[in-house]
Amino acid sequence: MDRTNWTAIEFILRGLSEYPKAEKLLFVMCLMMYLVILLGNSTLIILTLLDPRLHTPMYFFLGNLSFLDICYTSSFIPSMLIHFLSQEKTISFTGCVVQMSVSYTTGSTECVLLAVMAYDRYVAICNPLRYPIIMSKALCIQMAALCWGLGFRNSLTETILAIRLPFCGKNVINHFVCEILAFVKQACADISLNEIAIMLGNVIFLFSPLLLICISYIFILSTVLRISSAEGRKKAFSTCSAHLTVVTLFYGTILFMYMKPKSKDSAFDKLIALFYGVVTPMLNPIIYSLRNTEVLGALKKLMSRHWIWRKG
């Protein structure tokens, strides 16, 4: 396909256009959740930057996770909100590619980052005396850069393969957003190479990190069970509970989407995908703040400074 024709191509994001009242309700719900995502994750990033007590590897990676969630949701929620209230649900070829590539980059990066965070917890519990040496600042920066680099490379590969395809139909995507598999299925050419690449990407970036996470927690569990005091075991588990909850929520939703039988009601499938895309990033900062004395203490300190500044 000649690249000069890209500007003439548009995609129709069908969403729940057959349920206009449901779209109005979804607009209100998604807008509120998006504001919570921006507020919660931005607050976590600010706290990890400003409070010296949070200048640790765990909170460094948490700041990266919060930034990922902001980038991921901002790639599709604003345009999705507009489509909820509009009769015209079209998106340009360039807009669709940007939305698809950004969400794919951040999604791939988050998978690897969750595995890195599991390794951080493994070192903290299984090698506590060597933890500051192993998880040095330089290593943490390198590991974060590796996560972003792998995610970007995966997205770039899939995107280049996708935009080389010719599009000559109505290009109706039965989804709220430009999802890569739905995107390539609009092409009027053989997409077997794209499907193989997407499948390999899913195996590498979904199941390989999950395997590493499982291995890390097997070692963590083995170490914790050898701790003699109940208080020590409770303290060790508490340092992993937030990360384990986020991993369960993240992978649980993905595995449910992939493994459940195909529903006759496509609206249900779309809502499950929407839950994964919006609710999970909203819950991450809440999970990491709930019962976390360090984060709550940093938040109270920041609020008291703001209050003193306003009174002064």
Side-chain angles (χ1 to χ4, degrees), residues 161-162 164-166 184-185 187-196:
L161 287 173
R164 292 172 65 249
L165 295 169
V184 299
K185 283 183 177 180
C188 47
D190 180 33
I191 60 169
S192 55
L193 177 61
N194 300 79
E195 290 178 326
I196 292 171

Side-chain angles (χ1 to χ4, degrees), residues 255-274:
L255 292 175
F256 177 77
M257 286 193 299
Y258 275 97
M259 298 179 69
K260 75 176 185 65
K262 192 67 176 178
S263 173
K264 292 181 179 179
D265 183 10
S266 63
F268 177 73
D269 295 330
K270 295 176 196 174
L271 291 174
I272 293 295
L274 187 64

Side-chain angles (χ1 to χ4, degrees), residues 211-237:
L211 178 62
L212 293 175
I213 291 169
C214 291
I215 292 171
S216 296
Y217 274 102
I218 288 171
F219 282 108
I220 289 171
L221 183 62
S222 174
T223 302
V224 170
L225 291 178
R226 289 201 300 267
I227 299 175
S228 56
S229 67
E231 187 64 29
R233 288 195 297 270
K234 183 180 178 182
K235 185 177 179 181
F237 273 126

Side-chain angles (χ1 to χ4, degrees), residues 262-301:
K262 192 67 176 178
S263 173
K264 292 181 179 179
D265 183 10
S266 63
F268 177 73
D269 295 330
K270 295 176 196 174
L271 291 174
I272 293 295
L274 187 64
F275 173 88
Y276 163 73
V278 180
V279 177
T280 303
M282 181 189 71
L283 292 179
N284 284 351
I286 298 173
I287 292 169
Y288 270 99
S289 301
L290 199 64
R291 297 177 63 186
N292 189 317
T293 55
E294 291 176 324
V295 173
L296 292 176
L299 182 60
K300 289 177 182 177
K301 185 178 178 182

